[in-house]
Amino acid sequence: MISRAVVILISFLFLHSSYFAQYTIKGKIFAAGNKEALPFVPVIIKGTTIGAQSDFDGNFIVKSAKLGDSIIASYVGYKRTARAINKNLAEQEINISMEDIGGLVLDEITVKAGENPAHRIVRNCVKQKEVNNRNNLEAFEYETYNKLEFDLNRIPKEMREKKILKPIAFVFNNVDSANSGEKPSLPFFIVENLSQFYFKRNPTRKKEVVVASKITGIENSSVSQVLGDMYQNINIYNNNILVFNKQMPSPISDNGLFYYKYFLEDSAFEGNKYIYHIRFKPKRVQELSFSGNMWIADTTWGIKRLEMSLPKDANINFINSVNVIQEFTYMDSVWFLIKDRLVIDFAPSKKAIGFYGRKTTSYKKIKFNQPKPDKFYEFADKIEVNDSISTRSDDFWIQNRHDSLTAREMKIFKMIDTIQSLPIYSNWVDIFYLLVAGYKKCNNFEIGPYSNLVSYNRVEGVRLRFGGRTSDVFSKWYELAGYVAYGTLDEKWKYSIGFRSFLTKRPHRQLVGVNYRSDYEILGQSTNGFSQDNVLASLFRASPLTNLTRVDKTEAYYEREWFPGLITKAFITGRQFTPLGSNQYLYLKRDGTIGEKENIVNTEARISVRFAWKEKYVGEGFRRVYLGTTYPILQVNYSKSLQNAFKGEYDYHKLVLNVSDRIRITPILGYTDYVIEGGKIWGAVPYPLMELHGGNETYIYDYLAFNMMRYYEFASDKFISAAVFHHFEGLFLNKIPLLRKLKWREVATIKGVWGTVNDQNRKTLLFPKTLKALDKGPYLEASLGVENIFKIFRIDAFWRLNYQFPGAINNFGLKFGFQLAL
């Protein structure tokens, strides 16, 4: 009887096993447009209450004993999407592509008296920022793992089939973009970085030690620095967030209610914490602010999750989209960041070929309030890159990666290695370098710059120049450079040769150099102006260039970087000035007659100090690109002439101080740049050695010049100058419907200089008719302009406010400029 009952029970379970079956559905949710993973998206099986939420990487898993006919994903800003379920499979994979609806669309609601509940939650979050911001801890440290990938994207099918891309056609054939969440693209760069980061609050010190770096696609050691946590960090608890040097308000800024609209979407328990889902969007169109979602924990009022992006109508160039995704965990009374992803789509226009960048960061081995001794951090923020970082074994990476590589990422590593071995790759790299640097690589030598090969002026006629420099292939420790030039009218040769070499690269950057140059110069031109043989200066000169001086210059120097941001240089310089054409060096003799000097000879020692606290840069070789700092930049130059040394004729001291900074007022009002400079010369000097205030006689805008001042117009032996530039970032033009789509931006400037020349220096060498002192007070000029025209041009209207020329039209001018700015 018992055996019969057992048989019946087993048969019943076998026949009705589907009632107890466990079905598993897993997949990935991604955006249809850019194929980027969508995190924190709720999914639910239709007709049930069973569902899940996608994780940080867009992956989800749903387990259920009951199946509906479809699984549904619903997320703010995207169309509600359903995918069919195959009921005959116990385990299945369903990837869901969600279509962006082009903005946040709200259903019609009725608003009753009372406060928006989202405002109360946001205000509580703002009040607790000081507690939840990790930078207010006494100290912390962690291990950070970064992974960065760049892909060329939106390559049209017809272009992929062109002959020029045939050698790499296999790349596109290996990408299945139909339903995998991957986009058809050409990967050209991928890097992994593992480092240890240390922070101390009082005094504020940071240090990062790069432990390992694996770079595929480019050879540049500075990438390991820039990829680190010290360079790339978005702190949601700051009032303003800098993204590509653009200031944007945080959604939990102290003034967040001025910039954002907030909506309470949902609230629920997650574990033992009650979480509010808040959606936010900008209050005004085209402002630089974010839209997205944040999940805020009750009681502690910290951010648990964050997903935000730039609105599509934001006034920013070359970027189709920016997505920031962050995940926090509650640790020792602080919500600490544990995962971070930044995704950017770069392109000149929405549908043009561009490149896609993705940076993913994770944080482990987190420690709180265990500060190291002050000596450990050193004086300034320090990024320490060990020489062995690029030689780590595959086993090291397998053991130390925070997340294992996906099949796609492993495929990309192999594809990039294959692409780099093809001749077409090196050709592309050479073309890109030519466009950016102006030099053509030829193994050990680089020919250029190409912008100076052919030019024209009234003194030389057609000027032909050929030059170049040794490349990194020749040596990464020293460089030879030089050129020769010839004028068809004056029939004179000009030339230059130079040498520089590193003494050390770490821990302190030190180099020495020596050069000799014999060429024509424009005295009274700003240091930022085009050289006299630049082809653009030749094409866009407002008046014929005749006022040239031949300068024979010999110089030796030593440079040392004491820590990032503090650089000193020591120079010994000898110069001989010889006037050209009808220009003469005249002086008053003791008997009252006028004499003429054939040339002026001067020898001086100079020391230069540049201090830019916490300034960031890219580049480990001779040429660096400085990324700026949030602090003022101070420069000091002191010169002492060496009379009788190498035929030096004069005895003087010269001191010049310069300070510049960017003041970010509020995101809505734009930002202000200023430059203040002052100097004084003690001793008797001729006017070529005075401060010849920089003019501009071209139609091209010069940031550092007085654009309505002529060359050789004003000189001083004691002076102070100031320039203020305010960029409104579209504050007014964004409000005009017909102009809004152009994304033009307003800019206003005012510049002035005041100076004197003492009686002794007026007699040392007689001023030519075109040159004078600022005896009638300061020189002033102002301008109004529009920048971001077609994303690369600017036009400024200038007014000369005093020292005016006869005729109003001569005191007004238009200048244009080229600038690539986001």
Side-chain angles (χ1 to χ4, degrees):
M1 192 72 178
I2 295 176
S3 61
R4 183 183 177 189
V6 171
V7 171
I8 293 173
L9 179 60
I10 292 173
S11 300
F12 177 83
L13 293 175
F14 178 80
L15 292 173
H16 299 278
S17 60
S18 62
Y19 182 81
F20 298 96
Q22 182 76 12
Y23 294 98
T24 301
I25 302 172
K26 63 180 180 178
K28 183 175 183 178
I29 303 174
F30 57 92
N34 58 19
K35 311 300 181 186
E36 186 60 32
L38 293 176
F40 321 134
V41 178
V43 295
I44 190 169
I45 297 175
K46 186 178 179 180
T48 73
T49 59
I50 299 169
Q53 188 178 67
S54 64
D55 64 12
F56 188 84
D57 298 311
N59 300 308
F60 69 90
I61 296 178
V62 179
K63 294 185 178 182
S64 173
K66 182 180 179 181
L67 285 182
D69 59 5
S70 61
I71 186 167
I72 300 170
S74 179
Y75 196 52
V76 175
Y78 292 85
K79 285 185 178 179
R80 185 172 179 268
T81 306
R83 291 288 183 267
I85 294 175
N86 188 339
K87 294 184 178 181
N88 296 320
L89 297 177
E91 291 188 10
Q92 56 191 297
E93 181 175 342
I94 301 176
N95 294 319
I96 303 175
S97 172
M98 300 191 71
E99 186 176 345
D100 189 342
I101 59 178
L104 299 176
V105 178
L106 303 178
D107 296 331
E108 183 177 341
I109 60 172
T110 301
V111 179
K112 298 182 178 180
E115 184 186 25
N116 181 342
H119 289 181
R120 178 187 66 86
I121 298 167
V122 171
R123 276 202 304 271
N124 284 330
C125 181
V126 171
K127 289 179 182 177
Q128 290 297 110
K129 283 199 305 181
E130 294 297 315
V131 175
N132 289 309
N133 188 351
R134 67 182 186 180
N135 288 344
N136 289 321
L137 293 169
E138 179 186 354
F140 60 81
E141 63 183 82
Y142 51 72
E143 181 183 85
T144 176
Y145 170 74
N146 289 282
K147 186 162 54 185
L148 179 67
E149 177 189 337
F150 281 109
D151 304 332
L152 197 66
N153 63 1
R154 284 187 298 278
I155 304 175
K157 184 178 179 181
E158 58 272 17
M159 184 176 176
R160 282 181 260 158
E161 294 173 352
K162 286 185 179 295
K163 185 177 180 180
I164 191 174
L165 293 181
K166 286 292 184 183
I168 56 171
F170 69 92
V171 174
F172 306 109
N173 297 333
N174 286 333
V175 177
D176 174 20
S177 62
N179 56 17
S180 66
E182 298 178 14
K183 52 196 174 301
S185 57
L186 174 62
F188 64 88
F189 175 72
I190 188 169
V191 58
E192 298 178 274
N193 207 73
L194 187 71
S195 60
Q196 192 71 25
F197 183 83
Y198 305 88
F199 174 86
K200 182 180 180 181
R201 185 169 63 90
N202 192 17
T204 301
R205 294 288 184 268
K206 298 176 185 176
K207 182 176 182 178
E208 185 165 10
V209 180
V210 181
V211 177
S213 185
K214 184 176 182 180
I215 304 172
T216 303
I218 189 171
E219 294 183 7
N220 192 330
S221 60
S222 64
V223 171
S224 300
Q225 291 181 316
V226 178
L227 191 59
D229 196 65
M230 198 177 294
Y231 272 48
Q232 304 286 338
N233 185 280
I234 292 177
N235 188 345
I236 191 64
Y237 289 102
N238 291 337
N239 281 327
N240 296 303
I241 298 170
L242 276 180
V243 180
F244 298 106
N245 214 28
K246 295 285 186 180
Q247 180 175 257
M248 305 179 194
S250 166
I252 55 171
S253 163
D254 292 347
N255 300 312
L257 291 173
F258 177 78
Y259 297 106
Y260 293 102
K261 294 179 181 179
Y262 299 95
F263 309 90
L264 177 59
E265 289 290 319
D266 195 9
S267 58
F269 274 102
E270 292 188 18
N272 61 348
K273 291 182 172 57
Y274 198 65
I275 306 296
Y276 299 102
H277 175 188
I278 303 292
R279 179 167 52 83
F280 54 91
K281 60 180 288 189
K283 275 191 171 181
R284 290 162 291 273
V285 296
Q286 286 195 199
E287 276 191 8
L288 289 178
S289 49
F290 298 99
S291 62
N293 300 271
M294 54 186 174
W295 287 260
I296 299 175
D298 197 0
T299 309
T300 58
W301 306 110
I303 302 291
K304 179 174 174 57
R305 292 192 298 273
L306 172 72
E307 174 273 317
M308 64 184 185
S309 59
L310 279 181
K312 292 186 176 180
D313 63 353
N315 192 341
I316 191 167
N317 295 327
F318 310 115
I319 294 179
N320 283 345
S321 62
V322 175
N323 298 94
V324 178
I325 302 162
Q326 295 186 333
E327 189 170 1
F328 299 77
T329 189
Y330 193 65
M331 302 175 62
D332 194 20
S333 75
V334 174
W335 285 93
F336 206 88
L337 182 65
I338 57 170
K339 283 190 176 181
D340 186 7
R341 183 161 72 227
L342 177 64
V343 181
I344 305 165
D345 185 0
F346 300 90
S349 64
K350 298 293 182 184
K351 297 182 180 180
I353 297 174
F355 64 94
Y356 195 84
R358 179 194 294 109
K359 177 177 179 285
T360 304
T361 307
S362 57
Y363 307 86
K364 290 186 177 180
K365 302 178 182 178
I366 301 168
K367 297 180 182 178
F368 292 156
N369 299 326
Q370 299 178 28
K372 305 286 186 184
D374 289 345
K375 186 178 180 180
F376 172 82
Y377 300 95
E378 301 189 21
F379 178 65
D381 293 352
K382 173 82 171 180
I383 300 178
E384 188 176 296
V385 181
N386 296 327
D387 292 334
S388 61
I389 63 169
S390 60
T391 60
R392 302 296 187 182
S393 65
D394 291 341
D395 289 339
F396 173 90
W397 285 106
I398 292 173
Q399 295 174 10
N400 290 277
R401 277 191 190 102
H402 290 187
D403 296 302
S404 58
L405 294 177
T406 64
R408 176 182 180 275
E409 289 166 339
M410 288 188 286
K411 185 190 298 184
I412 287 174
F413 272 115
K414 293 180 180 178
M415 283 194 295
I416 293 177
D417 287 337
T418 303
I419 292 170
Q420 282 185 299
S421 66
L422 300 174
I424 190 175
Y425 175 83
S426 59
N427 292 337
W428 288 352
V429 171
D430 289 347
I431 292 172
F432 180 77
Y433 186 79
L434 174 63
L435 295 174
V436 173
Y439 284 81
K440 173 67 173 69
K441 287 187 175 182
C442 301
N443 295 322
N444 292 322
F445 197 70
E446 297 178 2
I447 300 172
Y450 277 80
S451 59
N452 298 74
L453 290 179
V454 181
S455 59
Y456 175 82
N457 62 69
R458 285 281 185 90
V459 177
E460 297 177 277
V462 176
R463 174 184 165 113
L464 304 175
R465 169 173 156 167
F466 178 82
R469 64 196 184 196
T470 56
S471 67
D472 286 348
V473 177
F474 182 79
S475 175
K476 294 183 178 180
W477 279 86
Y478 59 87
E479 177 186 84
L480 290 166
Y483 68 82
V484 292
Y486 182 78
T488 58
L489 182 61
D490 69 344
E491 298 181 342
K492 300 290 186 182
W493 288 95
K494 301 88 183 175
Y495 38 86
S496 172
I497 188 169
F499 169 81
R500 56 180 173 175
S501 174
F502 282 107
L503 298 179
T504 60
K505 293 186 179 181
R506 299 192 186 102
H508 301 291
R509 189 172 188 260
Q510 298 182 86
L511 56 90
V512 294
V514 60
N515 56 67
Y516 174 77
R517 183 174 185 266
S518 179
D519 204 344
Y520 296 171
E521 291 186 12
I522 306 172
L523 301 184
Q525 182 185 40
S526 82
T527 56
N528 189 56
F530 286 118
S531 62
Q532 89 283 359
D533 61 350
N534 187 285
V535 65
L536 291 178
S538 300
L539 293 174
F540 298 105
R541 204 175 300 283
S543 58
L545 179 60
T546 59
N547 203 346
L548 289 173
T549 303
R550 179 139 197 164
V551 180
D552 296 282
K553 178 180 177 181
T554 305
E555 184 174 74
Y557 64 90
Y558 165 76
E559 176 182 330
R560 178 185 175 104
E561 181 181 63
W562 299 88
F563 56 81
L566 179 60
I567 297 174
T568 58
K569 292 182 181 180
F571 301 83
I572 297 290
T573 304
R575 289 183 294 175
Q576 177 178 287
F577 301 85
T578 305
L580 298 173
S582 60
N583 298 319
Q584 296 175 296
Y585 288 157
L586 304 177
Y587 67 97
L588 194 64
K589 296 182 178 180
R590 292 183 180 179
D591 61 5
T593 60
I594 294 178
E596 181 181 351
K597 291 178 65 68
E598 182 180 348
N599 52 50
I600 294 171
V601 179
N602 181 62
T603 306
E604 70 176 19
R606 184 171 81 256
I607 185 167
S608 171
V609 180
R610 184 180 185 276
F611 179 60
W613 180 242
K614 297 186 178 181
E615 184 176 52
K616 300 178 177 64
Y617 65 88
V618 178
E620 287 297 303
F622 291 109
R623 282 159 288 279
R624 281 182 171 180
V625 176
Y626 289 95
L627 305 179
T629 174
T630 57
Y631 297 88
I633 297 175
L634 177 65
Q635 298 181 75
V636 180
N637 287 281
Y638 171 73
S639 303
K640 173 65 178 76
S641 65
L642 303 176
Q643 192 176 28
N644 300 321
F646 305 102
K647 299 181 181 180
E649 301 178 78
Y650 303 98
D651 184 18
Y652 65 89
H653 301 259
K654 183 178 181 180
L655 178 66
V656 178
L657 303 177
N658 180 292
V659 60
S660 60
D661 193 15
R662 171 165 293 179
I663 301 172
R664 300 183 185 276
I665 306 169
T666 66
I668 197 173
L669 294 179
Y671 61 91
T672 299
D673 292 335
Y674 71 83
V675 181
I676 300 174
E677 185 172 85
K680 181 177 172 62
I681 298 173
W682 293 267
V685 295
Y687 63 82
L689 298 180
M690 294 183 194
E691 186 68 27
L692 296 172
H693 303 295
N696 181 11
E697 293 186 21
T698 72
Y699 292 111
I700 302 174
Y701 172 75
D702 185 345
Y703 174 80
L704 292 181
F706 293 96
N707 284 277
M708 292 302 294
M709 185 185 292
R710 294 174 178 173
Y711 302 140
Y712 243 47
E713 187 174 357
F714 294 106
S716 302
D717 58 21
K718 181 172 64 176
F719 75 97
I720 183 168
S721 66
V724 179
F725 316 80
H726 187 75
H727 300 259
F728 291 93
E729 295 286 83
L731 174 63
F732 305 109
L733 296 178
N734 282 351
K735 308 298 187 294
I736 304 174
L738 295 177
L739 297 177
R740 183 181 297 154
K741 289 186 178 181
L742 297 175
K743 296 186 177 181
W744 290 354
R745 303 167 188 166
E746 318 85 347
V747 60
T749 69
I750 186 165
K751 295 183 179 181
V753 58
W754 173 84
T756 62
V757 178
N758 63 41
D759 292 338
Q760 184 183 17
N761 286 335
R762 292 174 191 260
K763 298 175 183 178
T764 303
L765 206 63
L766 298 179
F767 281 19
K769 293 180 180 179
T770 59
L771 185 66
K772 51 185 171 290
L774 292 162
D775 294 325
K776 299 178 182 179
Y779 168 90
L780 296 170
E781 68 179 35
S783 72
L784 292 174
V786 176
E787 54 187 357
N788 203 43
I789 301 172
F790 303 121
K791 300 183 179 181
I792 58 173
F793 293 106
R794 66 178 289 167
I795 296 178
D796 294 80
F798 285 89
W799 290 268
R800 183 166 170 143
L801 302 180
N802 57 359
Y803 292 95
Q804 294 187 332
F805 301 119
I809 192 65
N810 296 319
N811 299 296
F812 172 80
L814 291 174
K815 307 279 184 180
F816 73 92
F818 304 93
Q819 60 180 30
L820 287 174
L822 296 176

